[in-house]
Amino acid sequence: MPVAVARAPSSATMSVFMDKTKDDDDNVSEQVRLEDQHETVIYAMSGQPLYAPIDLSRPGLRILDSACANGRWIKDLQALSPAKHQYVGTDVVESLYPKPAPEGTQFLDQSIKEPFPEAWNGTFDLVHQRLVMAAAAPERTPAYVVGNLAGLLREGGWLQMVEVATAPLPQNPVSQNQYVDMLDTLYSKLYAGSEYDRTNIMSGLPQEMRNAGLKNIQQKEVIVSYGAAVADPDIRQRSLRTAVAGVPNFLSVLRKMSSEVWKPEWDDLQSRLYRDLKEQGGYMRYIVCWGQK
């Protein structure tokens, strides 16, 4: 398993984001953001939380959602599955876990920056992780995280990962592409001075899976719509809220970096982004990638 640790020239880490959401209201607002984010992404994925071709009709599968947050992905998968399985959700913020836990589900504290319990290696039929890779930076690289997750799979098991592909789209309003650029800068500069200090680093997930020894790797680009670009009125409102909710926290991380990183257009990004998405709508590329042990 890779053990590479990236170099960090500053104190900037995604823990600034997590600490802020907890200190403000003990993650109450974060719960709302997570629900909105989940509904927005699943809507774009046509209601399918799982693309990996695993047979959910076979009972007794062992399924892990790494960085599960409030467990919504597990809840949706349970609703789709015709058989009962053993579900495990891991995260570092216990206050996000649903209480009581759904039947057949266990929630445990586990950071993606640390090795999983040795007894878990080679025991899972399905491992899932979504929109959390940046939280490993700068201490751990994507190679470490993917290798860590791949090691949990038994032979024939599947790993599915979902992340934002930080590349602009021509149909976006200016503010939306500035938001994409802000995320791209954040992701790369968290790894400043390392091989991951490059644009659109999440597009490398398929290769990271190959390097971790997985096979039958596939990927799908999902275009997630926001604001006025969404037909469903409930999802339209949810997408608008989740699109702007994380901006102040992302910017708080960037402010911890060198002053050379900061761009003037970020000063009023949140207000312009909200206005443009509400009036015009916008889009974001997501990469869904899956591979087999």
Side-chain angles (χ1 to χ4, degrees):
M1 180 186 299
V3 294
V5 177
R7 292 175 289 165
S10 75
S11 60
T13 73
M14 289 299 286
S15 64
V16 174
F17 187 128
M18 293 182 286
D19 291 345
K20 188 174 189 303
T21 58
K22 181 169 179 59
D23 292 343
D24 283 354
D25 58 9
D26 198 22
N27 293 301
V28 173
S29 59
E30 182 67 356
Q31 287 277 17
V32 175
R33 187 189 72 83
L34 289 166
E35 285 291 321
D36 289 344
Q37 179 189 74
H38 176 85
E39 295 290 351
T40 300
V41 174
I42 292 298
Y43 180 80
M45 293 174 68
S46 302
Q48 297 297 314
L50 183 66
Y51 286 177
I54 188 169
D55 183 7
L56 293 175
S57 68
R58 181 165 55 93
L61 298 178
R62 188 163 155 83
I63 298 171
L64 170 69
D65 188 19
S66 170
C68 66
N70 62 357
R72 270 304 308 276
W73 183 86
I74 290 176
K75 182 179 179 180
D76 279 16
L77 197 66
Q78 287 174 320
L80 287 175
S81 177
K84 291 187 176 182
H85 306 295
Q86 179 186 357
Y87 296 89
V88 179
T90 58
D91 208 291
V92 296
V93 186
E94 186 178 350
S95 64
L96 293 176
Y97 302 155
K99 297 178 178 64
E103 181 183 358
T105 307
Q106 182 181 23
F107 292 96
L108 300 167
D109 294 346
Q110 171 68 48
S111 171
I112 65 171
K113 299 180 184 182
E114 303 298 332
F116 286 89
E118 188 173 350
W120 289 14
N121 290 336
T123 67
F124 284 92
D125 300 283
L126 172 64
V127 174
H128 172 265
Q129 184 174 283
R130 184 180 68 188
L131 301 179
V132 76
M133 183 70 83
E139 297 91 345
R140 299 296 191 186
T141 64
Y144 175 89
V145 175
V146 174
N148 212 13
L149 296 173
L152 299 173
L153 297 172
R154 56 170 50 115
E155 288 298 319
W158 289 90
L159 169 63
Q160 176 175 300
M161 303 186 75
V162 183
E163 291 290 345
V164 172
T166 47
L169 289 167
Q171 65 268 43
N172 274 337
V174 170
S175 61
Q176 175 66 5
N177 279 337
Q178 288 175 341
Y179 175 63
V180 173
D181 175 66
M182 182 267 288
L183 287 179
D184 189 61
T185 303
L186 174 66
Y187 293 171
S188 64
K189 294 311 176 187
L190 282 168
Y191 289 112
S194 79
E195 63 179 301
Y196 291 99
D197 185 0
R198 63 178 189 268
T199 190
N200 197 11
I201 63 173
M202 301 306 173
S203 65
L205 279 179
Q207 187 59 50
E208 300 291 5
M209 287 190 176
R210 292 185 190 94
N211 294 344
L214 300 186
K215 58 186 180 182
N216 298 325
I217 296 164
Q218 297 184 57
Q219 68 182 87
K220 180 179 177 65
E221 181 182 88
V222 175
I223 302 297
V224 179
S225 303
Y226 294 90
V230 181
D232 182 277
D234 177 61
I235 303 300
R236 185 185 310 138
Q237 292 303 313
R238 287 181 176 274
S239 70
L240 185 57
R241 288 196 301 260
T242 194
V244 300
V247 172
N249 295 332
F250 292 136
L251 293 177
S252 71
V253 180
L254 285 160
R255 286 191 178 97
K256 294 277 187 179
M257 297 181 181
S258 167
S259 60
E260 297 174 355
V261 172
W262 190 263
K263 298 182 181 180
E265 59 262 33
W266 297 342
D267 290 336
D268 62 346
L269 178 60
Q270 185 178 22
S271 60
R272 290 187 297 107
L273 181 63
Y274 181 86
R275 179 199 65 209
D276 292 346
L277 293 182
K278 184 177 182 180
E279 295 176 358
Q280 305 172 50
Y283 307 89
M284 183 89 77
R285 284 191 179 101
Y286 280 53
I287 178 172
V288 184
C289 185
W290 59 97
Q292 188 178 32
K293 182 72 171 285

